[in-house]
Amino acid sequence: MTEPTKDQKIWQVVAAIPAGRVASYGQVADMAGLGRQARYIGRALGKLPEGHSIPWYRVIRSNGQIAFPIGSEAFEVQAQSLREEGVVVVDGRVSMREFGWRP
DNA sequence: CTTCTGACGTTGG
DNA sequence: GCCAACGCCAGAA
């Protein structure tokens, strides 16, 4: 590894999010040096290899809402994982005011 | 090549 | 709070 790819950069940023906190796609994109390509984050997370240690579930929308339809399987997994870290998920959304990650 | 879609964001009504 | 419009850009059809 000489130079981290965009995907790896993203994963690195996501991995840097402390437990019990959440970051928005736009925030991750900005920190990864992608500017306003917030959409790319979702695609990069979709490319996650198996056996990864990336807390993808700590990434949500800027409005605090989870990026999956409520009731879907992925949604349940994410909400569950967040709750286990102490993050309160209400009606598919998280209070960014409280749990938003600010370095 | 064109067109659509999408784990998004911001602004404005 | 809700919805619409626009911006942004990478893959897939």
Side-chain angles (χ1 to χ4, degrees):
Chain A
M1 306 180 278
T2 56
E3 197 148 309
T5 65
K6 289 175 192 167
D7 290 350
Q8 293 188 334
K9 189 85 179 178
I10 291 170
W11 301 337
Q12 189 180 329
V13 172
V14 174
I17 304 172
R21 292 275 179 84
V22 293
S24 70
Y25 290 91
Q27 203 176 345
V28 174
D30 190 48
M31 282 188 268
L34 295 178
R36 304 180 177 103
Q37 272 188 274
R39 301 185 106 114
Y40 195 90
I41 306 303
R43 217 171 299 127
L45 293 181
K47 288 178 177 177
L48 278 171
E50 294 180 30
H52 60 70
S53 57
I54 309 301
W56 59 271
Y57 50 82
R58 291 182 195 148
V59 184
I60 59 179
R61 290 189 177 168
S62 63
N63 62 337
Q65 190 156 15
I66 289 177
F68 293 106
I70 297 179
S72 67
E73 203 163 333
F75 173 87
E76 292 296 333
V77 175
Q78 183 164 14
Q80 181 65 36
S81 302
L82 288 174
R83 288 193 187 117
E84 284 181 27
E85 293 186 341
V87 178
V88 179
V89 181
V90 181
D91 199 30
R93 8 188 310 197
V94 175
S95 176
M96 290 298 280
R97 197 74 73 136
E98 278 188 274
F99 304 104
W101 178 45
R102 1 192 183 168

